Amino acid sequence: MPNYRRNFVAGGCYFFTVNLLERQQTLLTDNIDLLRDSVRRVRRLYPFHIDAWVVLPDHLHCVWTLPPDTDDFPVRWRLIKLIFSKGLPRSEHLSATRRKRKERGIWQRRYWEHTITTELDYASHIDYCHVNPVKHGYVSQVQDWSYSTFHRYVRDGILPVNWCGDVSDLATVSD
């Protein structure tokens, strides 16, 4: 069995990629209100700051900063996934292993995490989140994708509405 190692930094800033189990599904955008509510509920119990977030039909990317006294992002992801899954009807196909473990077939078990270490790293991952719908061909302009913190960045005067990051600079970030 693989030995997954996570980097735990109290008050750390992290980039995450979280995928649906069946990547051809559109559960995340079809159920965006449920996902948003799941995140809100978890943030009330286990606070974190959302630096950037983008939700695509089958996966999401985000950058979080944790409070200075905690490094426990796994509990936050476990609860977000759990609350979201419980809000969906049981219609997914379950493997024998998932049935045995009493798991839903909504999310991939694991997620990808990267600890942000520099300002350039931070800016690159924020840009990656915002440009991802363009990269995947869902829209031709970042401003046209509704499920993104890009609109908050425009509202707050951080980015212009016609901004578009350079996808080629972000080749090291994985979907």
Side-chain angles (χ1 to χ4, degrees), residues 71-132:
D71 62 4
D72 196 357
F73 56 82
V75 73
R76 289 159 171 82
W77 277 119
R78 184 179 59 78
L79 291 172
I80 290 168
K81 288 176 162 186
L82 176 74
I83 294 167
F84 181 80
S85 297
K86 283 185 176 265
L88 296 174
R90 290 187 171 270
S91 59
E92 72 273 14
H93 169 75
L94 294 175
S95 67
T97 302
R98 285 190 184 259
R99 269 194 303 280
K100 180 179 166 189
R101 292 181 179 180
K102 298 185 177 115
E103 294 178 357
R104 296 286 307 265
I106 307 294
W107 299 98
Q108 288 183 6
R109 284 193 187 99
R110 309 268 185 236
Y111 51 87
W112 194 79
E113 152 262 322
H114 165 76
T115 307
I116 304 290
T117 57
T118 67
E119 288 297 319
L120 180 59
D121 194 22
Y122 180 79
S124 294
H125 284 85
I126 298 286
D127 288 352
Y128 186 83
C129 288
H130 292 154
V131 82
N132 207 252

Side-chain angles (χ1 to χ4, degrees), residues 114-165:
H114 165 76
T115 307
I116 304 290
T117 57
T118 67
E119 288 297 319
L120 180 59
D121 194 22
Y122 180 79
S124 294
H125 284 85
I126 298 286
D127 288 352
Y128 186 83
C129 288
H130 292 154
V131 82
N132 207 252
V134 174
K135 175 187 172 214
H136 286 284
Y138 291 112
V139 291
S140 59
Q141 297 181 340
V142 174
Q143 67 190 12
D144 295 336
W145 191 253
S146 344
Y147 313 117
S148 169
T149 54
F150 171 74
H151 303 286
R152 183 181 79 195
Y153 278 64
V154 170
R155 184 185 70 236
D156 293 347
I158 298 167
L159 292 174
V161 72
N162 62 347
W163 174 89
C164 186

